[in-house]
Amino acid sequence: MLRGGRGAVAALRRAAGSRGAGGHGQGQGQALEPTLLRFLVCPLSKRPLRYDESTNELINEELGIAYPVIDGIPNMIPEAARTTRKKPPADSLKETSGPAGPQQ
């Protein structure tokens, strides 16, 4: 998702132009254009994202998901995101079992 109107469009054009004619290769080698980050928000939570250069992903810490950046283009389709957490945060866990102790 984009926020910011004309500035976002200009940043996208710069990012697309910087790839050049050879930008059709496979893989995730090209990094995200830094000016795009201020315009991008998570399509699910509508919150800003953090860019992780080491994995070339846009991270939503709150939801625990990461969107891939492929050839400098963020893939912000929720189904394309990977989960970054192995289990939900402790505050969202609810006690569902009865009192501890042996059952008879």
Side-chain angles (χ1 to χ4, degrees), residues 56-70:
N56 205 23
E57 294 174 317
L58 292 169
I59 311 293
N60 181 323
E61 302 282 350
E62 182 181 327
L63 297 180
I65 56 176
Y67 297 98
V69 176
I70 302 167

Side-chain angles (χ1 to χ4, degrees), residues 21-100:
H24 298 290
Q26 298 278 336
Q28 299 180 1
Q30 187 167 349
L32 179 73
E33 174 72 29
T35 56
L36 281 179
L37 192 55
R38 68 179 186 185
F39 300 110
L40 297 173
V41 295
C42 177
L44 299 174
S45 69
K46 312 297 187 252
R47 305 285 311 249
L49 298 163
R50 176 181 63 82
Y51 178 60
D52 184 348
E53 285 187 59
S54 65
T55 60
N56 205 23
E57 294 174 317
L58 292 169
I59 311 293
N60 181 323
E61 302 282 350
E62 182 181 327
L63 297 180
I65 56 176
Y67 297 98
V69 176
I70 302 167
D71 291 331
I73 302 168
N75 182 351
M76 304 204 31
I77 299 171
E79 292 81 14
R82 72 174 180 86
T83 303
T84 60
R85 290 188 194 139
K86 294 188 180 186
K87 57 185 176 181
D91 60 0
S92 69
L93 295 176
K94 295 188 174 144
E95 193 64 37
T96 57
S97 61

